[in-house]
Amino acid sequence: MSPVGRPRAFDPESVLEAAMLLFWEQGYEATSLAQLREATGLSSASLYGAFGSKDGLFERAVEHYISGPGSITDVAADAALSPREAIARLLHGSIDMQTDPSHPRGCLIALSGTLGAPETGETARRVVAARRAVDRARVRACVVRGIAAGDLAEDTDVDGTTSMIHGFLLGVSTQVRDGVPARHLHTAADTLLANWPAPRGD
C-alpha cells in the first residue's frame, strides 16, 4: 500500500500514448480535461502535477508522437539518400503511416492544433507550427541538394517547389480523413515526383 500523501505511480509512456491518441483523434480544442483524465487514468491532481496543464500534456504528447509515428518525416533529413529518394520516402512513408488503421488517421501535426480560440490554443498552435517548420526546412534542404546535384534545373524556384511538396504532405491528412484511398494518394505522390527526374544511374 502506498504511503499516505504519496501520489499514485503511473507509467509516463502509457499516459503519453493515451493522450497522444486522444489529441490525434479529436484535436486540441475538442479534447477536454475530463476525457484526458479518463483516457490516461490520472486524477486532476496527478495530471497537473506531472504536466502542469493541458498545454503541457499536449506538448509532451506531440513530442511522443514525433518520436513515434511522426518520426516518418525524419527521413527527409537523411543525407545518405539522394534528395529525390528522401522526398519519395517522406511522401510515401507518410501516406502509409497516416492510413494505418492501428491508430487515428491523418497526421497529428497537421490536424490537432491548427485552429482554436486565441486565448486557449496558442501553445498548441505554436507546438505544431514548430514541427511543421522543421519538416518544411528539411524539404527545402532536399530541393537545394537536388539543384546542386543537377537533378533539378538551376533556375528551379526553391521556395515554390518546397511549398508544393510540403503542401502535398500536409494535405494528405484531410484527404485521408475524407476517406481517399491510400492507393490514390500514392499515385498522386508519384505524379508530384514525376516533376523531379530520378538521378542518372538510378
Side-chain angles (χ1 to χ4, degrees), residues 68-94:
S71 65
I72 187 64
T73 61
D74 290 345
V75 71
D78 188 348
L81 299 173
S82 71
R84 185 186 189 279
E85 180 63 18
I87 293 299
R89 293 192 187 188
L90 167 68
L91 299 181
H92 289 294
S94 186

Side-chain angles (χ1 to χ4, degrees), residues 82-201:
S82 71
R84 185 186 189 279
E85 180 63 18
I87 293 299
R89 293 192 187 188
L90 167 68
L91 299 181
H92 289 294
S94 186
I95 291 167
D96 286 338
M97 185 279 287
Q98 293 190 52
T99 56
D100 185 339
S102 69
H103 53 60
R105 296 169 72 81
C107 169
L108 183 151
I109 300 300
L111 297 172
S112 65
T114 303
L115 301 175
E119 65 275 12
T120 60
E122 182 179 352
T123 296
R125 288 192 295 275
R126 173 181 56 77
V127 169
V128 295
R131 178 60 184 190
R132 288 196 295 267
V134 168
D135 289 339
R136 181 182 177 86
R138 288 172 170 175
V139 170
R140 190 181 193 282
C142 284
V143 174
V144 170
R145 285 205 297 130
I147 294 171
D151 301 334
L152 295 172
E154 289 185 7
D155 62 351
T156 295
D157 186 320
V158 173
D159 291 321
T161 303
T162 298
S163 292
M164 175 180 66
I165 296 168
H166 192 227
F168 178 93
L169 183 68
L170 293 174
V172 168
S173 288
T174 52
Q175 295 196 65
V176 167
R177 285 291 179 101
D178 286 345
V180 176
R183 67 181 183 278
H184 293 171
L185 295 170
H186 283 299
T187 299
D190 286 335
T191 300
L192 184 155
L193 288 164
N195 294 299
W196 188 327
R200 285 181 288 275

Side-chain angles (χ1 to χ4, degrees), residues 13 25 77 90 129 167 202:
E13 287 298 304
E25 181 63 40
L90 167 68
D202 278 15

